[in-house]
Amino acid sequence: MKPGLQFRLNQQLTLTPQLQQAIRLLQLSQLELEAELRQIAESNPLLEFADDNPDNLEGDERESEPPMDAIPVSSSSSSSSSSDTVDDAEAPEWGDVERDGGSDDPVDFSLSGASSRNSNPDEDGFEPQSAAQETLQEHLLWQLNLTHMSVRDRTIATVLIDALNADGYLTESMESLVAALPADIKASAAEVEQVRRMLQRFDPTGIASIDLRDCLRVQLEQFDPDTPQRELALRIVDAELELLARNDIARLARKLRVSEDDTAAAAVLIRSLDPRPGAALDVTPVEYVAPDVYARKDAGRWRVSLNPDCQPRLGLNQHYCGLIAQARGTDASWMRGQLQEARWLIKSLESRAETLLKVAEAIVRRQSAFLDYGPEAMHPLVLREVAEEVGMHESTISRVTTRKYIHTPRGTFELKHFFSSGVSTEDGGSASATAIQAMLRKLVDAEDPRKPLSDQAIAEELHRKGIQVARRTVAKYREAMRIPSSSERQRAG
């Protein structure tokens, strides 16, 4: 075997650091992008946000801010406006006030301080403060501290309260609850059960229950004994809760040997109870979504624009940029490197905004019928179609449409909401899955509650509308929309 030389040509795609950074910024949501840029700006002195330095603002915004020497300085709150300030020469003496108003006049302390200068409490110079919502455990511990109870029982009750889930139920076994007690507390299961029954009478009633039957029974026992159908409701909860769930009043009445009217009245009483007593004190924070893009109709055409509040206004710090020429040695090379990275980042942000706007415009053009007529007019759309229209790769479209939101007259949607597969129709076209789900929802809402439509009946109805869809596809869409089956809808009706 003789040694020899060979020439081979091949192509290789290399992701430069700049391209890697642009791809990373593209897939971040608005909140993640803000946090990422804040972290980068802290490590790069040549970067700063425009709101951190007013010198980076546009001319109109800079002129709108009053100069510092025009702001009056006084010992009162800085939130007061210049029209409310009084010069020292014009300020009345306290003696004059007493002579004008009289020392016997009542003094209105409600108008003192910052509130006298501003009637709006949210504009008093301070951020609006709201008390933190009380958790279920805090609410129960507060009642526990007001209850006359031994130290031993109080310790057991504290362990039980800590073991409650979000709905207020005890899902752990009695053995695990006994094992969770402190080492110096040797309690039996009967003692823990006795304390648990005491907690069930706390507010909200039915807390610390083992199951739904236990929870409903405790709440019924709190009613006055003379409450109509209370005893019948207790019988239903103890033995026939499954029949009640099916709403089979006739069979329930026959089994209990009572009239259907009394059974229906007892069912109404049971349904007035709270099956999840702890949910009322759920402190899960509400998450709000700020749209990245707006779509509005102007002169008969849909137009798309970026949300300026969601676009980070990052700029160069002119002070540090001016120091680069004065730096020497390693300091100069380091600052030039930071300047280059800052420019790359700003360019990546501009590219991100342009790509987001371009993709959003393509989606709005494809789904203008949805914006005009609603979900039933949604067209089938896949990533490949948008990628071909804007001249990008499908992976780029996927990154752009993930966790990016658009505000339309029909609501705020994630950009991925406008993508769906298609189902063929009789005329050779196709209908999107979103449109079929909207039709399915419309059929279910209009059905007779006593004779709900089965999946096969819904499929046949869609066939009459020209949409070729199988029964199993209808079942899949129905389950995705959390619509019960026809038998369950009949029982609920």
Side-chain angles (χ1 to χ4, degrees):
M1 189 174 189
K2 296 181 180 180
L5 296 177
Q6 292 182 350
F7 291 95
R8 182 178 300 173
L9 296 178
N10 62 348
Q11 291 182 342
Q12 183 178 1
L13 178 62
T14 302
L15 293 179
T16 62
Q18 298 84 3
L19 184 57
Q20 293 178 6
Q21 184 183 61
I23 293 175
R24 171 171 172 76
L25 296 179
L26 192 62
Q27 64 187 7
L28 296 178
S29 64
Q30 191 271 330
L31 293 178
E32 293 173 340
L33 178 65
E34 184 78 15
E36 179 80 7
L37 295 181
R38 289 285 179 185
Q39 184 177 359
I40 295 176
E42 290 177 358
S43 60
N44 192 338
L46 278 81
L47 279 172
E48 65 179 1
F49 285 86
D51 52 0
D52 296 337
N53 187 0
D55 295 335
N56 284 345
L57 296 175
E58 300 295 334
D60 295 340
E61 296 180 354
R62 191 185 303 114
E63 291 175 1
S64 64
E65 296 182 359
M68 291 300 295
D69 55 359
I71 300 178
V73 179
S74 64
S75 59
S76 61
S77 173
S78 60
S79 63
S80 59
S81 61
S82 59
S83 61
D84 294 331
T85 58
V86 182
D87 295 337
D88 294 339
E90 299 178 357
E93 298 293 337
W94 284 108
D96 298 337
V97 174
E98 293 179 357
R99 286 191 297 270
D100 294 338
S103 58
D104 296 334
D105 292 343
V107 180
D108 187 3
F109 289 98
S110 62
L111 299 178
S112 61
S115 60
S116 64
R117 294 183 294 274
N118 198 332
S119 60
N120 190 347
D122 292 337
E123 299 177 0
D124 58 356
F126 298 94
E127 294 183 359
Q129 302 291 327
S130 57
Q133 187 175 353
E134 187 180 35
T135 64
L136 175 63
Q137 279 72 19
E138 292 173 347
H139 183 63
L140 295 175
L141 289 175
W142 170 72
Q143 298 177 69
L144 181 62
N145 293 330
L146 299 178
T147 305
H148 181 69
M149 190 180 295
S150 65
V151 177
R152 179 186 180 87
D153 290 345
R154 193 182 302 273
T155 304
I156 297 175
T158 303
V159 173
L160 295 178
I161 290 173
D162 291 338
L164 297 176
N165 62 10
D167 293 333
Y169 285 88
L170 280 173
T171 57
E172 299 184 17
S173 63
M174 188 60 66
E175 291 76 12
S176 61
L177 293 174
V178 173
L181 295 174
D184 57 337
I185 301 295
K186 303 296 183 181
S188 62
E191 291 181 90
V192 176
E193 175 66 16
Q194 183 180 4
V195 176
R196 185 188 72 84
R197 293 193 176 276
M198 294 176 60
L199 286 179
Q200 285 186 295
R201 270 67 181 176
F202 278 25
D203 179 61
T205 307
I207 213 74
S209 295
I210 301 298
D211 51 24
L212 178 61
R213 181 176 282 103
D214 185 26
C215 179
L216 297 180
R217 164 167 274 282
V218 171
Q219 296 182 49
L220 285 172
E221 290 174 349
Q222 298 300 308
F223 283 93
D224 188 272
D226 296 333
T227 302
Q229 310 306 329
R230 173 179 176 270
E231 295 302 323
L232 180 57
L234 286 171
R235 291 174 58 191
I236 294 175
V237 167
D238 286 339
E240 305 298 341
L241 198 57
E242 290 76 12
L243 281 179
L244 178 65
R246 300 192 189 103
N247 200 29
D248 196 345
I249 301 298
R251 185 179 176 186
L252 191 60
R254 290 195 304 269
K255 199 165 187 178
L256 297 175
R257 298 180 180 179
V258 294
S259 65
E260 291 190 14
D261 293 338
D262 292 343
T263 305
V268 171
L269 180 61
I270 295 174
R271 291 195 178 100
S272 67
L273 307 177
D274 189 359
R276 300 170 56 202
L281 294 170
D282 187 11
V283 294
T284 303
V286 179
E287 296 183 1
Y288 298 94
V289 173
D292 301 88
V293 185
Y294 286 106
R296 67 183 187 280
K297 202 166 190 178
D298 185 12
R301 297 183 58 186
W302 286 101
R303 302 186 182 277
V304 180
S305 61
L306 294 174
N307 183 0
D309 296 333
C310 291
Q311 303 306 316
R313 306 175 63 184
L314 203 62
L316 297 175
N317 189 304
Q318 300 302 322
H319 173 70
Y320 283 101
C321 290
L323 295 178
I324 295 179
Q326 306 175 11
R328 295 293 183 270
T330 57
D331 293 341
S333 61
W334 180 82
M335 294 188 69
R336 290 192 187 95
Q338 296 295 313
L339 177 61
Q340 187 66 31
E341 291 182 5
R343 288 173 175 170
W344 285 339
L345 179 61
I346 294 175
K347 186 176 181 181
S348 298
L349 291 176
E350 294 175 353
S351 176
R352 179 184 185 273
E354 294 174 359
T355 303
L356 178 60
L357 181 61
K358 187 184 300 184
V359 172
E361 288 175 343
I363 293 175
V364 169
R365 281 194 298 269
R366 293 294 189 106
Q367 300 294 1
S368 59
F370 164 79
L371 300 176
D372 288 328
Y373 306 108
E376 295 185 20
M378 179 83 79
H379 293 301
L381 185 64
V382 294
L383 296 175
R384 175 177 48 80
E385 297 177 13
V386 177
E388 293 174 353
E389 181 175 345
V390 300
M392 298 178 181
H393 195 269
E394 293 181 33
S395 61
T396 303
I397 305 302
S398 178
R399 293 186 180 96
V400 173
T401 55
T402 301
R403 291 175 297 175
K404 313 296 189 305
Y405 297 87
I406 180 171
H407 179 75
T408 70
R410 294 193 175 274
T412 300
F413 305 94
E414 187 179 9
L415 290 178
K416 278 190 176 298
H417 174 76
F418 297 93
F419 295 90
S420 62
S421 58
V423 176
S424 61
T425 59
E426 289 183 352
D427 57 2
S430 59
S432 68
T434 304
I436 296 175
Q437 291 178 4
M439 297 178 188
L440 192 155
R441 170 67 72 178
K442 189 175 182 180
L443 290 174
V444 171
D445 292 341
E447 69 183 5
D448 185 356
R450 294 172 297 180
K451 295 181 180 180
L453 298 173
S454 63
D455 293 341
Q456 183 62 36
I458 293 176
E460 294 174 357
E461 187 67 27
L462 292 175
H463 286 171
R464 282 191 283 270
K465 295 179 180 293
I467 300 174
Q468 303 296 328
V469 58
R471 183 201 60 79
R472 60 179 179 275
T473 304
V474 172
K476 182 181 68 173
Y477 289 161
R478 177 181 55 76
E479 293 173 358
M481 300 170 65
R482 297 182 179 180
I483 298 177
S485 63
S486 57
S487 58
E488 294 175 346
R489 297 200 303 274
Q490 184 179 18
R491 290 195 296 264

